[in-house]
Amino acid sequence: MQSNPGDKIFYTLATLKLADPQFAETIIKVLEKNKNEIKPQQLTFLVKEIIWGLTQEISFGKAYALGMAELTGKIPDTQLTKYVKLVHTALKQGPTLAQMIARYLVPLFCCDPDLLIKPFIKTIIIMFRKGNYTLSGPLGILSLFLKENDTSSALSFISLLETVFKQELTYNRSRYLANLFSRELRYFKPAKRAWQIAALEKVVKEDLDLADPFINGLEHGLKRLGQTALNQFIVIGLEKYRTSPKLGLKFLSLASKLGQDTCRDMQVTVSLSQVKQQMDNYLRARIGEVITVHPLSFLPAALAKSLNGQCLALSDSNHIYLSNEIDNYNSKSENIRLYMGLMKMEACLLEFGTYDFDYEKAFYEREGCLGKILKNRCSLENPDLETISDLERFFKIFPDKDLAQDLFTIFEHGRIWKLIGLNYPGMLKKILPLYQQEIRRLVKDSKGDNLLLPLYQALCMGSSSKGSSKDLFKLDACMQDACDLFFDQIAQNNRVETIALLVGQNYFPIEAFFKTKIKQKQPADRYYPHYSLKIPFGHYLWPDIFRLSILKSEKLANIIKNQLIKKGIKVFKSDLQKKIKNSNNQLSADELQEIIANDPRNFKADHGGSFAGFVDFDQLDLSDIDGLLQDEPQISDKSQNTGFRYKEWDSKLGDYLHDHVLVREKLLPGIPGDFYNMTLEKRYGLISKIKNAFELLKPQGLQIMRPWEEGDEFDYAALLDFAVEKKAGLMPSDRLFIKRVKQYRDVAALLLVDFSRSTANFVDGSRSTVLDVAREAIVLLLEAVKILGDTFAVAGFSGTGRLGVDYFIIKDFYDNQEELIKSRINSVTPQRSTRMGAAIRHSAAKLEKIPAKTRLLIIISDGFPNDTGYKGAYAMEDTRRAIVEARAKSIYTKAVTVNIANSAKLDDIYGNVHHNT
């Protein structure tokens, strides 16, 4: 029978509770948190040791009491006795050491005491001889590793500490190294730190002075090397150090070009920026929607906290988020293949509708058998309909939502792999081996506590035919039944809602299997988290993260659904959401009627046994719904709905149409993204050349001019000549002064970019779109202008019709908010049409107000002006007139046309020397 630690401790620690009630409550909470059965003799021994410790020294006693409370009932009595003996022995050296031992031995005993205790004690003795000051920081880092169950890193760190502190060290040197390791090693990436620490130990064995340079080298690029490559680099570096210590230090710290080049040649780590463009192009061609790739670091901090450390990929409705860099393999090509595989797997989740799951549809389909299976066993109604996704709502009806979610993940991944095999057999051959290899690693590391992994392995990694798993994998009976049910059900219906049925059919048999396996009869939430599923690359489902990206469409779909319910019509929310998304947040009456007509619940059986629709569309009034989904503007209107009126040249009339065009200024919203930084990395060489060229244009500040008759001060060389010439009897010059003249640039420039729909086209012979090129040009010019310090603005234009010309501000002339400007560049997307004359006139009007001697207007476009009622000769003549008007205001214009060959028509618009293609 399970003891109640709280009652017994309350009674047994009565004395302590009187002396220090707050600390006594802390001890009770620690014991209750462990939820372990505590025997009476263990409790008596615990209390005895706590009282003994507190009588020795208060700080030590409290540390010891917390350690005892943490371990009692959690580890075997023999191990607890060993802990007590070690603490007692340490107390002989003083309470400070004993306090550290009592505190930092706890995670060792919770992790792997047989492996760790002996080297730990040996190292602690060595460090203690140097002084207590060496212990606190390093032991804190060691505890951090052990809390993450990283035994390998802990062993490597203990070995490093022994190697360093057994050497002859001064007080200052010992303190410095202890602080160095405590400060730097906490930032080592968990997947690499065990062998990176071992590499650091190899370096300091050669010379302790190499610790700092090597850690600096890791920070500046060595951390991107694989284990084999890093060891090879160290061998080369140490050889150079033995020949020339100075050159060796520079090499290991990557302060020399040779070290940087060697590191780059050996590097196997792949950053997302290296493959992002290729991924974006693939997604554009594959899915046909605007899905882009972003690094996981772009997720809001609140969302990032919900991810486990092994997650490499997830997605929402607009983006696929991938790890900032990948170095899982010792081959660069393999890491690239993994990147592409993760991206393609996430694309499949989107393409095959994983997150289109509809709770209501899951219970309706297959004659409602899911509800019958779960009746009286689950809470089918959930009140949190407005705050959680349909998937989360489904998981929460089960006694343990984590077990339900893991089962859903297994079956859903099985469905996805089956669909990949049917639709993309070539993709299956490329990425399946990566997952199979990772599964083998997980099986090896699981130590038997990843009990659902065999089912995942059978469904996802084996053949897709029923029964073949029996030959490949040894499964428990309930797991084999689940496997057979999966192949049966998926063969009948491979929609995502079928996965919900599979979870309902298998949840309770598998829950019973868990209870039997660990011989406990407790609710699942008492034990399941310890056995929760670990899958390749942390590729879990994140429904609530996906939901955050579709809140608006979900809300509107719910509104329409509720309106239709009032009319006696039923529709599934997921069908509405899908149509809304595919129609750019526009939903017509015809599209709504199509959804209604396709929903079988809107039909009833007639007397002849067939089905007849009962919705009379001729009589159905949809006026309160049609048009409900008009897209709300996301861009702030700076002109406050008044806008700016401009004239337009009518070539047919041979005269201006005054106040004919309305231009509205709009501020682009800032969107987090890495386009700016990736462009800097991608165009590094070009940017360097541009900066060097612009440096030559930069004024030198004050120019010294000589000789002058008057000026700021004497020219001493001229004074010397004056004295010599006068002594020689010659007539000396009276130009004896120098003058300092301030040199500066007085330039204002505006970059005007075409955002029309056609800029989404690819540039001939390139994987980039016209707009991608324009965005890169913005980045390059912004970097160049930093050198010159010119007044500079960036804007885009698009629109529909003469009263709908939009002028998008990315950077205004005196706008210095660099991060905001970068985020606005991320939000640039193709818009509508090209009424170029109005945009040029508005740009000229803004430039004219800037007090600069030289004004420059640069236009980037992909062709000719084109808009409603603004085509052909009419549009070209108006654009040419707008450019002539700008030049009349002393505004120099230069056009760059992308993706179009030289044309005489461009000469007609811009002039033959004022444009490039």
Side-chain angles (χ1 to χ4, degrees):
M1 183 175 178
Q2 185 179 1
S3 303
N4 188 331
D7 294 343
K8 292 187 176 182
I9 290 292
F10 181 85
Y11 173 75
T12 313
L13 291 184
T15 304
L16 177 60
K17 195 167 182 66
L18 289 174
D20 192 339
Q22 186 175 356
F23 183 64
E25 288 295 331
T26 301
I27 296 295
I28 293 172
K29 288 179 181 178
V30 171
L31 287 165
E32 290 177 336
K33 183 180 68 173
N34 289 339
K35 298 178 181 177
N36 293 311
E37 184 174 348
I38 302 177
K39 300 174 183 177
Q41 61 269 29
Q42 290 176 320
L43 188 59
T44 302
F45 181 66
L46 168 70
V47 173
K48 176 184 174 183
E49 288 298 315
I50 289 177
I51 294 173
W52 172 82
L54 291 172
T55 59
Q56 302 301 310
E57 199 269 338
I58 293 297
S59 297
F60 157 73
K62 289 188 174 183
Y64 184 44
L66 289 171
M68 287 291 293
E70 184 71 33
L71 296 176
T72 300
K74 182 182 286 188
I75 63 175
D77 287 348
T78 53
Q79 295 288 0
L80 184 63
T81 302
K82 189 173 182 179
Y83 170 79
V84 170
K85 288 181 178 179
L86 288 171
V87 173
H88 280 246
T89 302
L91 186 62
K92 295 176 182 178
Q93 302 297 325
T96 303
L97 177 63
Q99 180 181 343
M100 290 184 181
I101 292 292
R103 176 182 175 186
Y104 293 113
L105 271 179
V106 172
L108 271 77
F109 274 96
C110 291
C111 194
D112 194 340
D114 294 333
L115 184 65
L116 295 167
I117 292 298
K118 188 174 180 179
F120 174 79
I121 295 298
K122 180 182 177 182
T123 301
I124 289 300
I125 293 172
I126 291 172
M127 296 177 70
F128 180 69
R129 289 170 183 165
K130 300 291 183 184
N132 289 340
Y133 58 85
T134 63
L135 292 173
S136 181
L139 291 182
I141 297 299
L142 183 63
S143 294
L144 179 66
F145 295 165
L146 293 172
K147 285 177 182 177
E148 296 174 3
N149 204 29
D150 190 355
T151 307
S152 299
S153 294
L155 279 172
S156 293
F157 187 42
I158 291 171
S159 180
L160 171 66
L161 293 174
E162 179 188 354
T163 297
V164 170
F165 287 99
K166 71 181 180 182
Q167 300 185 39
E168 292 295 329
L169 299 172
T170 64
Y171 168 83
N172 289 333
R173 190 66 171 154
S174 297
R175 180 179 288 276
Y176 176 78
L177 289 170
N179 291 336
L180 175 69
F181 297 149
S182 304
R183 183 178 68 249
E184 300 295 341
L185 267 58
R186 70 175 62 246
Y187 300 113
F188 281 21
K189 191 175 179 181
K192 295 180 174 184
R193 66 185 171 206
W195 48 265
Q196 285 181 343
I197 294 172
L200 175 58
E201 182 182 3
K202 186 183 297 184
V203 168
V204 298
K205 278 182 179 178
E206 180 74 22
D207 192 332
L208 284 177
D209 289 338
L210 294 175
D212 257 330
F214 181 70
I215 290 175
N216 288 335
L218 286 171
E219 178 63 28
H220 290 95
L222 293 180
K223 63 183 177 183
R224 296 190 177 93
L225 296 182
Q227 183 175 2
T228 303
L230 182 61
N231 287 329
Q232 291 174 349
F233 185 90
I234 289 172
V235 170
I236 298 172
L238 293 181
E239 287 178 356
K240 292 187 177 299
Y241 182 74
R242 292 170 191 135
T243 304
S244 171
K246 185 176 180 181
L247 293 178
L249 284 171
K250 288 186 175 181
F251 185 88
L252 288 168
S253 63
L254 295 188
S256 67
K257 187 175 186 304
L258 179 60
Q260 294 168 6
D261 292 343
T262 305
C263 177
R264 184 172 57 252
D265 293 341
M266 291 182 169
Q267 187 172 317
V268 297
T269 299
V270 179
S271 65
L272 182 58
S273 60
Q274 293 176 268
V275 293
K276 183 180 186 303
Q277 187 65 57
Q278 180 182 354
M279 289 180 175
D280 286 341
N281 294 337
Y282 172 89
L283 290 169
R284 190 182 291 118
R286 157 97 175 272
I287 299 181
E289 301 175 11
V290 185
I291 302 293
T292 55
V293 172
H294 283 329
L296 283 171
S297 58
F298 279 16
L299 286 171
L303 293 181
K305 287 182 180 179
S306 65
L307 307 179
N308 60 50
Q310 301 302 313
C311 177
L312 297 182
L314 59 86
S315 57
D316 60 25
S317 64
N318 303 311
H319 309 291
I320 291 176
Y321 295 92
L322 299 170
S323 177
N324 293 50
E325 59 181 37
I326 284 181
D327 55 5
N328 290 46
Y329 303 104
N330 288 325
S331 163
K332 192 170 187 177
S333 61
E334 285 294 289
N335 286 322
I336 291 176
R337 191 154 72 100
L338 176 57
Y339 247 138
M340 299 303 293
L342 292 170
M343 178 270 295
K344 290 176 181 179
M345 186 65 173
E346 280 298 325
C348 287
L349 296 180
L350 298 174
E351 182 179 354
F352 298 137
T354 296
Y355 295 112
D356 293 335
F357 175 83
D358 192 311
Y359 179 89
E360 188 178 357
K361 189 181 291 186
F363 280 88
Y364 173 79
E365 288 194 347
R366 310 291 287 275
E367 295 78 38
C369 59
L370 178 59
K372 296 174 184 177
I373 291 171
L374 300 180
K375 187 178 181 181
N376 300 325
R377 305 189 75 175
C378 293
S379 175
L380 302 184
E381 295 301 322
N382 195 297
D384 302 328
L385 303 187
E386 300 299 324
T387 60
I388 60 175
S389 67
D390 275 26
L391 275 174
E392 281 290 330
R393 180 186 176 192
F394 176 70
F395 301 149
K396 291 183 74 170
I397 68 176
F398 293 91
D400 187 316
K401 66 178 285 292
D402 293 328
L403 176 57
Q405 182 165 352
D406 282 352
L407 287 174
F408 190 97
T409 300
I410 292 172
F411 292 128
E412 177 59 10
H413 277 216
R415 182 182 79 96
I416 295 297
W417 282 111
K418 186 173 179 64
L419 289 172
I420 290 174
L422 293 172
N423 294 276
Y424 305 106
M427 182 196 304
L428 189 72
K429 291 180 181 178
K430 288 183 178 179
I431 66 177
L432 184 60
L434 296 174
Y435 281 76
Q436 290 173 330
Q437 180 182 347
E438 182 66 8
I439 281 242
R440 287 192 288 271
R441 186 191 69 80
L442 289 173
V443 170
K444 182 179 178 181
D445 295 345
S446 66
K447 298 179 182 179
D449 61 358
N450 200 351
L451 297 181
L452 286 176
L453 189 59
L455 178 60
Y456 185 95
Q457 188 176 20
L459 295 185
C460 303
M461 303 294 103
S463 170
S464 60
S465 61
K466 177 185 174 183
S468 62
S469 61
K470 295 179 181 179
D471 303 323
L472 295 173
F473 311 107
K474 184 179 180 181
L475 298 175
D476 290 279
C478 70
M479 300 292 185
Q480 186 62 58
D481 291 343
C483 192
D484 293 342
L485 273 172
F486 171 82
F487 289 119
D488 283 339
Q489 299 289 359
I490 290 296
Q492 298 176 47
N493 186 338
N494 61 16
R495 295 163 59 92
V496 66
E497 283 76 21
T498 300
I499 304 304
L501 177 60
L502 285 163
V503 174
Q505 290 171 320
N506 291 283
Y507 175 89
F508 291 102
I510 290 178
E511 183 189 56
F513 162 75
F514 272 99
K515 291 178 179 179
T516 303
K517 192 77 175 177
I518 63 173
K519 299 178 182 179
Q520 286 189 353
K521 300 294 182 182
Q522 300 177 14
D525 61 0
R526 289 291 184 91
Y527 56 82
Y528 180 69
H530 179 62
Y531 296 96
S532 58
L533 179 66
K534 297 177 180 64
I535 59 176
F537 313 115
H539 217 146
Y540 301 95
L541 303 179
W542 304 94
D544 279 350
I545 290 179
F546 184 91
R547 179 177 178 267
L548 289 174
S549 67
I550 58 168
L551 283 177
K552 179 184 174 184
S553 61
E554 182 185 61
K555 180 180 178 181
L556 294 170
N558 278 324
I559 292 174
I560 292 178
K561 178 184 174 183
N562 292 333
Q563 292 275 29
L564 291 173
I565 288 174
K566 293 177 182 177
K567 300 176 186 293
I569 300 171
K570 295 181 179 180
V571 291
F572 289 116
K573 181 181 67 173
S574 60
D575 293 338
L576 286 171
Q577 280 186 217
K578 187 178 295 186
K579 184 64 71 174
I580 291 169
K581 185 176 187 299
N582 293 339
S583 302
N584 268 337
N585 284 343
Q586 304 285 329
L587 190 64
S588 66
D590 290 340
E591 290 171 326
L592 188 55
Q593 288 179 11
E594 180 185 350
I595 294 173
I596 295 171
N598 289 333
D599 195 317
R601 297 175 298 173
N602 294 323
F603 289 74
K604 61 182 179 180
D606 63 15
H607 296 291
S610 62
F611 283 85
F614 68 82
V615 178
D616 186 350
F617 289 111
D618 292 332
Q619 300 298 320
L620 181 61
D621 181 14
L622 296 175
S623 59
D624 56 339
I625 297 174
D626 188 24
L628 185 63
L629 297 176
Q630 297 301 315
D631 194 21
E632 298 177 5
Q634 298 296 311
I635 302 170
S636 61
D637 192 341
K638 204 178 178 187
S639 54
Q640 299 176 342
N641 296 322
T642 56
F644 303 87
R645 293 275 183 173
Y646 291 98
K647 59 188 178 182
E648 189 169 272
W649 176 258
D650 188 330
S651 57
K652 296 178 181 178
L653 292 176
D655 198 359
Y656 285 105
L657 302 174
H658 292 279
D659 295 334
H660 186 68
V661 185
L662 179 66
V663 177
R664 286 196 176 96
E665 285 191 358
K666 295 185 175 182
L667 289 172
L668 278 175
I671 296 177
D674 61 347
F675 181 83
Y676 198 99
N677 292 331
M678 286 196 304
T679 301
L680 295 182
E681 184 175 334
K682 179 181 177 182
R683 303 294 183 188
Y684 176 78
L686 179 58
I687 291 173
S688 297
K689 292 179 181 178
I690 291 174
K691 286 185 174 181
N692 290 336
F694 275 60
E695 281 284 0
L696 299 177
L697 300 176
K698 187 177 179 181
Q700 296 301 313
L702 293 176
Q703 181 178 359
I704 297 177
M705 306 180 69
R706 66 180 78 201
W708 287 81
E709 292 182 355
E710 59 183 23
D712 300 312
E713 61 182 68
F714 283 112
D715 183 347
Y716 292 103
L719 281 176
L720 185 59
D721 291 341
F722 180 90
V724 171
E725 290 175 357
K726 189 172 182 180
K727 186 79 171 177
L730 302 176
M731 179 64 70
S733 171
D734 58 355
R735 294 178 175 271
L736 304 176
F737 296 90
I738 61 175
K739 178 182 287 189
R740 289 184 173 86
V741 179
K742 187 175 183 181
Q743 300 256 318
Y744 61 93
R745 286 174 58 87
D746 190 7
V747 177
L750 190 152
L751 178 63
L752 181 64
V753 183
D754 179 4
F755 288 175
S756 63
R757 188 181 296 110
S758 59
T759 59
N761 296 328
F762 287 97
V763 177
D764 291 340
S766 171
R767 294 181 177 180
S768 300
T769 65
V770 173
L771 195 58
D772 288 337
V773 174
R775 292 166 71 200
E776 286 187 4
I778 295 172
V779 174
L780 296 178
L781 282 170
L782 285 172
E783 286 295 305
V785 169
K786 287 180 183 178
I787 301 295
L788 296 176
D790 290 347
T791 305
F792 189 65
V794 182
F797 69 96
S798 180
T800 299
R802 67 183 183 88
L803 300 179
V805 180
D806 295 328
Y807 188 90
F808 302 100
I809 295 176
I810 297 174
K811 178 190 181 301
D812 224 335
F813 284 106
Y814 301 109
D815 190 349
N816 295 316
Q817 302 177 68
E818 188 170 333
E819 291 305 317
L820 177 59
I821 294 166
K822 291 179 181 179
S823 66
R824 287 175 181 168
I825 295 173
N826 294 324
S827 66
V828 171
T829 56
Q831 300 291 320
R832 292 170 286 176
S833 301
T834 315
R835 209 172 193 99
M836 193 175 288
I840 292 172
R841 288 187 178 95
H842 188 63
S843 299
K846 293 175 73 68
L847 268 169
E848 190 180 16
K849 298 176 182 177
I850 304 300
K853 184 177 180 180
T854 303
R855 302 182 185 91
L856 175 64
L857 174 62
I858 305 170
I859 305 164
I860 298 181
S861 178
D862 69 332
F864 301 99
N866 181 42
D867 190 16
T868 304
Y870 191 80
K871 302 179 184 297
Y874 180 98
M876 291 173 60
E877 280 296 317
D878 176 62
T879 302
R880 188 179 67 82
R881 280 276 177 167
I883 290 172
V884 170
E885 294 164 16
R887 289 173 182 159
K889 297 176 180 178
S890 298
I891 297 173
Y892 297 96
T893 60
K894 186 74 174 181
V896 178
T897 308
V898 183
N899 212 28
I900 190 170
N902 286 320
S903 170
K905 293 181 179 180
L906 292 174
D907 293 343
D908 293 339
I909 296 175
Y910 304 112
N912 58 2
V913 296
H914 296 289
H915 75 88
N916 294 93
T917 55

